[in-house]
Amino acid sequence: QVQLVESGGGSVQAGGSLRLSCVASGYTSSYFSIGWFRQAPGKEREGVARIYFGSGGTVYADSVKGRFTISQDNTKNTVYLQMNSLKPEDTAMYYCAAREGASAYLSNPAMYKYWGQGTQVSVSS
């Protein structure tokens, strides 16, 4: 069983930055992928970024490329999502999720087995 706990959400103005953290506990290994997803009210859950523990390889959604950076600290079992140049359309509940394997599946959240409780990000114009 894997437990995920997100933190770091908040309210910022457009153009601002936030860093989200996802701490993983329980069974994890280098064969796990950690993804960040977001869901705005009335919208489907959307994949934002993924990092694969084994290689550190990353994948990003087109909507956040160049603005968001996903990274990992293996010593702390923590994955970060640095969000810069935030826009009002980035407003959503952000979740981290874990799955075994290297495939990103950002367009298919159902492929992720373990989920955190979410952290709210609100960006005002």
Side-chain angles (χ1 to χ4, degrees):
Q1 189 74 9
V2 176
Q3 295 81 41
L4 303 169
V5 179
E6 305 98 329
S7 62
S11 298
V12 296
Q13 290 190 325
S17 298
L18 284 173
R19 188 178 79 158
L20 306 183
S21 299
C22 173
V23 179
S25 60
Y27 175 73
T28 57
S29 75
S30 60
Y31 301 108
F32 268 73
S33 288
I34 300 291
W36 282 100
F37 294 81
R38 65 186 182 187
Q39 189 166 19
K43 294 189 175 182
E44 293 187 352
R45 193 162 294 189
E46 172 191 21
V48 174
R50 181 280 268 151
I51 191 164
Y52 179 51
F53 274 165
S55 65
T58 59
V59 176
Y60 295 92
D62 288 343
S63 58
V64 305
K65 279 181 183 176
R67 300 189 298 124
F68 290 10
T69 303
I70 189 170
S71 62
Q72 64 188 43
D73 183 338
N74 290 347
T75 64
K76 298 180 180 179
N77 263 10
T78 300
V79 171
Y80 303 99
L81 185 68
Q82 178 66 44
M83 306 186 295
N84 298 328
S85 302
L86 283 162
K87 305 175 181 180
E89 51 264 44
D90 293 318
T91 294
M93 184 72 78
Y94 282 70
Y95 301 88
C96 69
R99 65 178 302 277
E100 290 190 76
S103 297
Y105 288 116
L106 284 184
S107 61
N108 192 354
M111 297 303 294
Y112 284 75
K113 183 176 181 179
Y114 306 101
W115 290 83
Q117 82 289 349
T119 184
Q120 178 68 39
V121 171
S122 299
V123 185
S124 59
S125 57

